[in-house]
């Protein structure tokens, strides 16, 4: 189900909780909402739809991907970036990102995966994991 976007910076600034099997519907809602905003958004975290759970969904080179309980376990190649966010009013904001990140997460079956992402996809993932950690750009 498509959900309303959360714009409250106090809510968005809170850390998200670990995901369990009971949170699978939230992942579907997140995907539905991301798809509805595909013209202006490449990734979302569950707190952007009002749910403080560690779930992110994003465009992974043309196909949507969902991660449960994602954590960056290695990063390299820092650079300065400017990003916007559907949940935050105003224009782009400056932030620090990394060209390459190694991420550990769980699938919808709660199988652990580890993969290295680079470039634009890595930047999207970093933005969404920041949301999970209560970090606003």
């Amino acid at each position: 189900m498509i959900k309303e976007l959360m714009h409250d910076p106090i809510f968005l600034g809170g850390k998200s909780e670990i995901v369990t099997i009971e949170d699978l519907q939230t992942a579907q809602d997140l995907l539905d909402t991301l798809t509805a905003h595909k013209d202006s958004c490449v990734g979302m975290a569950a707190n952007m739809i009002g749910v403080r759970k560690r779930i992110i969904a994003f465009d992974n080179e043309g196909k949507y991907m969902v991660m449960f309980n994602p954590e960056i376990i290695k990063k390299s190649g820092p650079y300065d970036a400017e990003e916007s966010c559907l949940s935050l009013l105003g224009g782009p904001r400056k932030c620090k990102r990394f060209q390459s990140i190694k991420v550990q997460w769980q699938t919808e079956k709660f199988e652990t995966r580890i993969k290295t992402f680079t470039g634009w996809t890595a930047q999207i993932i970093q933005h969404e994991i920041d949301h999970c950690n209560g970090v606003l750009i």
Side-chain angles (χ1 to χ4, degrees):
M1 177 188 301
I2 298 169
K3 298 290 187 174
E4 269 190 59
L5 295 178
M6 171 63 66
H7 298 287
D8 178 357
I10 294 172
F11 180 87
L12 293 168
K15 286 191 173 192
S16 295
E17 299 173 4
I18 297 296
V19 178
T20 65
I21 195 82
E22 290 82 32
D23 299 309
L24 291 177
Q25 182 59 51
T26 297
Q28 186 59 56
D29 293 344
L30 191 60
L31 273 174
D32 292 346
T33 307
L34 176 57
T35 301
H37 292 278
K38 66 182 176 189
D39 292 338
S40 59
C41 185
V42 293
M44 296 183 99
N47 68 350
M48 293 175 68
I49 60 169
V51 180
R52 273 202 190 130
K53 293 289 185 166
R54 295 188 67 82
I55 307 171
I56 66 172
F58 58 94
D59 180 340
N60 181 24
E61 299 179 358
K63 184 177 179 189
Y64 287 134
M65 182 172 183
V66 176
M67 292 180 171
F68 296 90
N69 303 313
E71 297 287 344
I72 297 172
I73 56 175
K74 186 177 180 184
K75 51 193 174 185
S76 64
Y79 65 96
D80 293 322
E82 281 194 0
E83 298 174 356
S84 295
C85 181
L86 278 183
S87 287
L88 301 175
L89 301 175
R93 294 171 172 87
K94 295 179 189 256
C95 57
K96 171 111 27 219
R97 295 292 180 223
F98 294 86
Q99 184 62 34
S100 176
I101 58 170
K102 184 181 278 190
V103 182
Q104 177 175 303
W105 77 96
Q106 293 172 307
T107 68
E108 68 280 350
K109 294 178 182 174
F110 290 88
E111 300 165 329
T112 299
R113 299 282 187 259
I114 297 175
K115 183 177 176 180
T116 298
F117 295 88
T118 60
W120 178 236
T121 303
Q123 185 171 339
I124 298 167
I125 293 168
Q126 289 169 82
H127 180 104
E128 303 315 331
I129 290 177
D130 275 358
H131 268 292
C132 292
N133 294 330
V135 176
L136 305 178
I137 56 170

